[in-house]
């Protein structure tokens, strides 16, 4: 898991993050494919991303199959905000016979060749459930598999947050300029330090940054100290100003007081 964390936090391509996570889950859980749910879904809408080491099953593009996946049975009814987010298999949630006889199990088996699903939800993801659903044929997921999923769950959440921030950086019109500015520093910032820098610029306190990134406040402070050293800054505000002057951040209309939690663009 440590090796995986290092690889993920060193990644600069958001899609490479998904590749690393899917590869880990497929290997560790002897799975056939992984479904990623990172946005609100309904039966009619929502992208379905499948990751598999094998050629895509012929039936995976069938809209009825996608509807079953988006419906999320039985995980959508089992998981919810503030509820139990322990990774669990579909058959253990519903009972083996009920799951085997369900329309969802039948549709997925015919289209994808799988018989069992393991849900790994993201705690604190908001008003909807998001996370990974791991599929495999043959036997149900074992207690050992469930323990592994529970241990890797915080890392999956943190890695997904990292990917979201990478996407935000990539979508900015001056992303290339910022990457060149970072490389021009005597000691360039790591991808994780850049994540912390962008959250720092919004005025978030360390505890809020830690929750957003899925890491501990102590780790956030370590990244902050590294930022101050590399930028030659003595405090949060000067670090943001120096980063703006270096071209690592956009220049907002006003800078929020550190720790206020108010994005600079939102200040009057």
């Amino acid at each position: 898991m440590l090796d995986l964390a290092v690889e993920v936090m060193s990644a600069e391509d958001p899609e490479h993050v998904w590749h690393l996570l899917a590869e880990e889950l497929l290997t560790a859980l002897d799975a056939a494919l992984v479904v990623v749910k990172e946005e609100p879904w309904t039966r009619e809408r929502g992208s379905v991303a499948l990751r598999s080491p094998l050629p895509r099953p012929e039936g995976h593009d069938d809209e009825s199959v996608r509807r079953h996946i988006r419906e999320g049975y039985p995980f959508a009814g089992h998981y919810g905000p503030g509820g139990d987010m322990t990774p669990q298999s579909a058959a253990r949630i519903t009972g083996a016979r009920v799951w085997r006889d369900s329309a969802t199990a039948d549709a997925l088996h015919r289209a994808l060749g799988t018989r069992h699903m393991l849900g790994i939800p993201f705690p604190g993801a908001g008003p909807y459930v998001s996370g990974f659903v791991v599929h495999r044929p043959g036997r149900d997921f074992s207690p050992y598999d469930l323990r592994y999923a529970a241990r890797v769950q915080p890392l999956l959440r943190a890695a997904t947050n990292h990917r979201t921030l990478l996407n935000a950086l990539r979508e900015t019109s001056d992303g290339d300029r910022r990457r060149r500015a970072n490389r021009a520093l005597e000691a360039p910032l790591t991808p994780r330090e850049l994540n912390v820098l962008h959250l720092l610029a919004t005025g978030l306190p360390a505890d809020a940054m830690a929750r957003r990134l899925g890491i501990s406040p102590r780790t956030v402070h370590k990244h902050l100290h590294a930022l101050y050293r590399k930028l030659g800054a003595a405090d949060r505000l000067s670090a943001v100003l120096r980063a703006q002057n270096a071209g690592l951040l956009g220049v907002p209309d006003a800078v929020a007081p550190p720790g206020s939690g108010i994005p600079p663009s939102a200040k009057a």
Side-chain angles (χ1 to χ4, degrees):
M1 289 187 190
L2 179 58
D3 290 341
L4 175 62
V6 170
E7 286 190 86
V8 166
M9 297 313 162
S10 299
E12 297 187 8
D13 182 352
E15 285 307 306
H16 186 54
V17 174
W18 275 156
H19 170 76
L20 291 170
L21 299 183
E23 185 177 43
E24 168 68 17
L25 293 174
L26 289 167
T27 302
L29 294 170
D30 190 24
L33 62 92
V34 174
V35 176
V36 182
K37 184 181 187 299
E38 58 174 336
E39 61 183 24
W41 287 358
T42 66
R43 294 192 65 182
E44 291 73 29
R45 300 184 60 185
S47 61
V48 175
L50 303 180
R51 305 283 170 157
S52 174
L54 303 173
R56 295 289 176 86
E58 292 183 1
H60 82 279
D61 280 328
D62 189 313
E63 182 55 31
S64 65
V65 174
R66 289 177 175 270
R67 285 169 62 89
H68 279 293
I69 293 176
R70 285 191 293 260
E71 189 176 42
Y73 175 81
F75 303 116
H78 180 73
Y79 297 122
D84 180 16
M85 289 291 179
T86 304
Q88 192 61 273
S89 74
R92 290 173 183 269
I93 291 174
T94 65
R97 178 174 297 179
V98 172
W99 169 246
R100 185 177 63 247
D101 295 338
S102 68
T104 298
D106 181 62
L108 296 180
H109 175 62
R110 286 187 287 105
L112 307 177
T114 60
R115 292 190 178 276
H116 293 283
M117 298 193 303
L118 171 63
I120 309 179
F122 294 152
Y128 58 90
V129 179
S130 62
F132 290 87
V133 180
V134 184
H135 293 243
R136 78 179 182 195
R139 68 190 187 285
D140 191 13
F141 293 88
S142 69
Y144 174 85
D145 295 328
L146 301 183
R147 288 195 298 271
Y148 161 81
R151 292 192 65 187
V152 80
Q153 187 179 31
L155 175 55
L156 297 176
R157 176 60 169 156
T160 302
N161 287 338
H162 178 64
R163 180 181 180 277
T164 299
L165 290 169
L166 287 177
N167 269 325
L169 287 173
R170 171 169 285 192
E171 290 169 1
T172 57
S173 60
D174 56 349
D176 289 339
R177 178 181 60 80
R178 294 179 187 181
R179 283 191 286 273
R180 288 195 297 271
N182 185 39
R183 289 195 293 268
L185 293 178
E186 184 175 346
L189 304 182
T190 67
R192 178 55 97 191
E193 289 165 356
L194 284 169
N195 291 345
V196 173
L197 174 62
H198 280 263
L199 292 178
L200 185 72
T202 70
L204 285 178
D207 286 351
M209 291 186 206
R211 289 193 296 271
R212 185 76 62 85
L213 296 171
I215 59 180
S216 70
R218 181 178 180 181
T219 301
V220 169
H221 284 295
K222 288 182 178 179
H223 290 309
L224 288 173
H225 288 313
L227 279 173
Y228 298 161
R229 174 175 55 80
K230 293 180 179 181
L231 294 172
D235 53 38
R236 296 165 65 97
L237 182 57
S238 61
V240 171
L241 293 176
R242 285 177 181 269
Q244 290 169 356
N245 291 336
L248 295 171
L249 292 171
V251 181
D253 297 330
V255 177
S260 68
I262 303 174
S265 59
K267 273 187 68 67

